[in-house]
Amino acid sequence: DDAMDKCHDLATHVRRSEFNKNELKNACEETETNFRMPKLPNKTRWNSKEENVSTTIDLKPPLQRISQHDTEQTWLEVIPNAAEFQLLESLVEILERVKVASKLWEGDTKPTIQHVIPELFDIKDTLERKHRRRERYVSVFARELLKLIEERFPKCGTESKWNCIAHLLDPEYRGVCLKQFPGVYERTRREIIRMGALYENVPAPAVVVTMEEPEVDENLSRAQRVKRRAAHTVSAGSTERAQAPRRGDC
């Protein structure tokens, strides 16, 4: 709270006078940093707090330069110190992940239900990773936020059949996150077959499963890594079928 309050006070300080704004501009030129006004958070949108922290981090080099040369200590109370900057940089990873999910879910002109499970899957992964690192303050924040999200969306939203069906029918993921929860993928698949049987009776295709693991790219989100493993599984199955001798070849 103290670190985020400083981000709020910094935005107010810069906007309060043209002199403060120009001082920040000069520091940006000296540190070869693109100038931008610190985002002022508001009470109606929590995302504005994430933007407030992000813009403060973007201005870290010029702010540290100002702090070093602040002989009158006019910036002392509004510029985060080194420990607070480290905390904010870690915290903003969590806030950005939640912001991405909320932005995807709030669309009005296109379907959004297929984004529920993979985004919750990635949020949970981020929070669990932050908690395991035992970072000061951030670890506790990640643990408590994870509790709230699991209370609001048990098992990453897979207890809702509509979330599951949308995720399975999504051409991007094709239900790969459902396989991380025992029995959910098959349950969803059976539900789609049951619903489809009301209109058309078509035998369901066989599902090929292999335990071979592809190389992991740490830059991908957890849902993307699961999708890549699934694509690797399908590719391996297709190769095996292509290499199998056809009848009469012998």
Side-chain angles (χ1 to χ4, degrees), residues 29-246:
E29 292 178 1
E30 293 170 354
T31 57
E32 298 181 350
T33 304
N34 291 330
F35 171 77
R36 59 184 304 186
M37 290 290 286
K39 177 71 176 181
L40 188 64
N42 58 65
K43 296 181 179 180
T44 57
R45 283 189 174 271
W46 75 266
N47 284 340
S48 65
K49 291 189 176 182
E50 182 274 335
E51 293 169 353
N52 174 233
V53 175
S54 295
T55 53
T56 302
I57 293 173
D58 291 340
L59 294 168
K60 179 180 177 180
L63 290 173
Q64 289 181 329
R65 183 177 181 84
I66 291 174
S67 180
Q68 291 172 358
H69 297 85
D70 185 26
T71 56
E72 298 182 2
Q73 296 187 340
T74 56
W75 295 76
L76 178 64
E77 300 297 328
V78 299
I79 296 180
N81 58 39
E84 289 169 335
F85 263 121
Q86 185 179 20
L87 185 150
L88 291 169
E89 288 168 353
S90 181
L91 176 65
V92 82
E93 293 181 39
I94 297 175
L95 300 181
E96 283 179 348
R97 184 69 263 171
V98 180
K99 177 183 176 180
V100 168
S102 64
K103 287 296 183 182
L104 283 173
W105 295 344
E106 68 185 19
D108 292 328
T109 59
K110 58 183 180 181
T112 60
I113 192 173
Q114 74 275 15
H115 298 306
V116 173
I117 291 177
E119 289 303 320
L120 288 170
F121 198 70
D122 287 339
I123 289 173
K124 182 179 179 182
D125 179 60
T126 299
L127 294 175
E128 288 177 343
R129 183 159 36 86
K130 284 292 181 181
H131 178 55
R132 287 195 301 269
R133 289 180 182 176
R134 301 296 179 185
E135 300 176 45
R136 190 178 184 186
Y137 304 121
V138 176
S139 177
V140 177
F141 173 74
R143 182 192 66 198
E144 296 304 314
L145 181 57
L146 180 59
K147 288 180 182 178
L148 294 174
I149 290 178
E150 288 182 335
E151 181 180 347
R152 174 65 179 84
F153 301 100
K155 298 181 181 179
C156 293
T158 57
E159 292 190 348
S160 165
K161 74 173 183 179
W162 302 114
N163 290 344
C164 295
I165 290 173
H167 180 56
L168 184 56
L169 297 180
D170 181 6
E172 181 179 2
Y173 287 102
R174 302 181 183 180
V176 293
C177 292
L178 302 181
K179 297 180 181 179
Q180 309 308 305
F181 302 90
V184 176
Y185 181 86
E186 286 301 325
R187 184 187 70 203
T188 305
R189 184 169 172 267
R190 288 195 298 269
E191 179 64 17
I192 293 177
I193 293 172
R194 185 193 68 78
M195 295 169 65
L198 299 175
Y199 308 96
E200 186 177 15
N201 187 15
V202 178
V207 178
V208 180
V209 179
T210 178
M211 298 302 294
E212 184 179 355
E213 293 288 338
E215 185 178 352
V216 176
D217 185 350
E218 294 297 334
N219 294 322
L220 299 177
S221 70
R222 189 178 178 191
Q224 290 171 330
R225 294 198 299 270
V226 171
K227 181 179 72 172
R228 175 168 289 191
R229 286 199 297 270
H232 180 80
T233 299
V234 173
S235 176
S238 300
T239 302
E240 290 176 1
R241 289 192 295 272
Q243 293 177 349
R246 291 175 298 178

